[in-house]
Structure formats: structure tokens, C-alpha cells
Amino acid sequence: MMTKLDSPCRILLLGGTSEATSLAQSLAGENGMSATLSLAGRTANPAESPLPVRVGGFGGVDGLTEYLTRENIDLVIDATHPFAARISNNAIAASAAAHIPLLAIERPQWTPAGGDEWSEFDSIDAAIAALPDTPQDVFSGLGRQAIPALGAAPQHRYVIRVVDASEPPASLPNATIVAARGPFRTDDDLELFRKHHISHVLAKNAGGSAAYSKIEAARLLGIKVHMVRRPAITPRSTVASVEDAFAWIKAHHRRCSERGV
């Protein structure tokens, strides 16, 4: 019969980032921990995970609260994208309702360096609207979900990088889709930008190193960057690295072990 000390620490890892992938690998090899990786399902072929994976939404705060309670979750780790504000805010509310500790891995934001030509905006729509009226060669690092928003300025020639290959929509007659998964290299983005004569880069301030190459390439080539600021997220406990997140989990492990079963 399982005793309290035998009971594993049950962890819900909200993923979709390189940090989540790395943390999943650490958790999979750790005795006394039982973690599940949750993905939104927006990518057709997500990176392989050593953890059990659930795909799809929870049904808002109430649905997530019910899941946490039903599955006897002990800890919630939010390793979602900095722009996944809805699930992050839902996780904060649901964890509080279920009285479960939550920690977020929050990448430091990118900041302009010498030679950068940034204009910052509060929304994707505003960043696109600020492009010149005359046709430009624009690289979009905004992701697949932002493609419809580009239709507000269809006169431009777009190079759109996404994870899953697709055909550009009819609303963007001069668009090229580039399917690729990070991390990306600066040399490759320099080659891409030169090949397509890129004059503007559309980017979200995602932080981290996996997608920073487009920012470095734009700096080196003197290309203007329209940077979208991060959305607001309710204050929460955060760390900046996978290593710090794993240390936090280990520190809470005794609480998990003493949970009733």
C-alpha cells in the first residue's frame, strides 16, 4: 500500500516553449515526481516529450480548477510563451482557487542595443498599421495566429516564419511562408533577410535566445524592427531559468510527499 512518503509529487507543466521541453526532460528522470505536460495544440507536430502529454484547453478558470482538483495536482509550472496571457492568467486564478503553488518561468525581455532601430507597440495590429503605406519587404516573426492581421496591409511583400508549413492566404497575394522550428541562427537570418531584401521586421518581445537571431540580423543590416510589447499578466511568483524552476520544485517536494493519499 502506498504511504504518504511514497506518494509522488504531481506536477502540471504548462508548456509550448523550449524551457518547458528542457524542464520536462529533467522531471522525467526525477524519482518521486509525476508530471504531465499540457500543450495548447496550436502546433501540428510539437517537439517530442518524455512526459505524458495532454493537448487542448481546460475550459477556462473553472475547468482548470476542476482538473487540478480531480488530478490531485500539487504544483503548477507555467512555462508557456510570454504572449500566452490567457492561459497564464487562468492558471494563476485556478491555482489560487485550488490552493496549489504556482511558479512561472518568465524569460527576461529583450531590450534595444546599440544599432537597433526599434519602434514599440502595444498590439500586433498597431505594429502592422505603422508600416509604411508604400509596399515594403517585411519579415513576420509574429507566428501563425497573426497571419490574418497582416491582411490589413496586403500591399507588402511578406516573408512569414511559422512552425507548421501552410499556404499563404488569398488575402496576402505577395506572401511567402517559411516553415522552420527554432532555435534559429543569426547567420541563417542574415541570409534570409538579404535574399528577400527585408526592410522591416515584425516581432513579439518573446525574450530568450531561441528566436533572438532575427533581432541581431536586423541590427547588423540596419533593418527597422516593429516590436510588440508583452501583454499584461497578473503578478505571480517567477524565475528566469529552468534551473531555478527545478530548484523551486525540489524545495516543494517535501510538501508533496506529506500530502494525504
Side-chain angles (χ1 to χ4, degrees):
M1 180 177 179
M2 183 179 289
T3 67
K4 289 182 180 180
L5 290 177
D6 292 328
S7 180
C9 183
R10 297 180 64 83
I11 300 166
L12 177 64
L13 173 59
L14 303 174
T17 60
S18 58
E19 290 86 357
T21 299
S22 178
L23 183 56
Q25 293 169 348
S26 297
L27 291 173
E30 190 71 14
N31 291 330
M33 295 187 186
S34 176
T36 297
L37 174 64
S38 177
L39 300 175
R42 292 172 180 164
T43 301
N45 296 298
E48 291 187 8
S49 174
L51 296 178
V53 177
R54 70 169 303 279
V55 178
F58 291 93
V61 174
D62 291 343
L64 180 51
T65 302
E66 192 275 333
Y67 175 90
L68 297 176
T69 303
R70 183 182 72 246
E71 299 296 325
N72 294 315
I73 299 299
D74 294 294
L75 302 173
V76 177
I77 307 299
D78 182 356
T80 59
H81 193 276
F83 280 75
R86 178 179 297 177
I87 182 58
S88 291
N89 284 322
N90 285 352
I92 293 166
S95 297
H99 306 289
I100 296 171
L102 175 143
L103 181 76
I105 303 176
E106 191 171 283
R107 307 167 184 166
Q109 299 193 55
W110 296 326
T111 56
D116 282 330
E117 293 188 55
W118 285 21
S119 297
E120 296 188 78
F121 303 89
D122 289 329
S123 70
I124 288 173
D125 290 342
I128 295 169
L131 292 170
D133 292 334
T134 56
Q136 304 291 316
D137 295 286
V138 180
F139 173 83
S140 174
L142 299 175
R144 179 172 57 86
Q145 288 191 302
I147 291 177
L150 299 174
Q155 73 273 25
H156 301 305
R157 296 174 291 274
Y158 291 103
V159 176
I160 305 168
R161 185 155 64 197
V162 294
V163 174
D164 298 317
S166 63
E167 292 296 322
S171 59
L172 297 175
N174 299 308
T176 299
I177 300 291
V178 176
R181 187 190 300 272
F184 302 106
R185 299 181 342 119
T186 300
D187 286 347
D188 293 335
D189 280 353
L190 284 168
E191 181 180 352
L192 181 69
F193 291 0
R194 287 180 176 130
K195 175 182 177 181
H196 292 278
H197 310 287
I198 298 299
S199 61
H200 292 75
V201 168
L202 297 171
K204 297 176 179 177
N205 197 329
S209 60
Y212 188 65
S213 59
K214 61 180 175 284
I215 307 303
E216 289 185 319
R219 180 188 308 134
L220 292 170
L221 296 175
I223 295 171
K224 296 178 175 64
V225 175
H226 286 205
M227 184 68 72
V228 181
R229 298 184 182 96
R230 291 183 180 183
I233 295 176
T234 304
R236 56 194 173 163
S237 296
T238 65
V239 293
S241 70
V242 171
E243 293 75 18
D244 287 344
F246 192 65
W248 183 90
I249 292 169
K250 294 280 285 185
H252 281 73
H253 188 257
R254 182 164 181 80
R255 173 191 178 275
C256 298
S257 298
E258 295 175 347
R259 163 175 60 78
V261 295

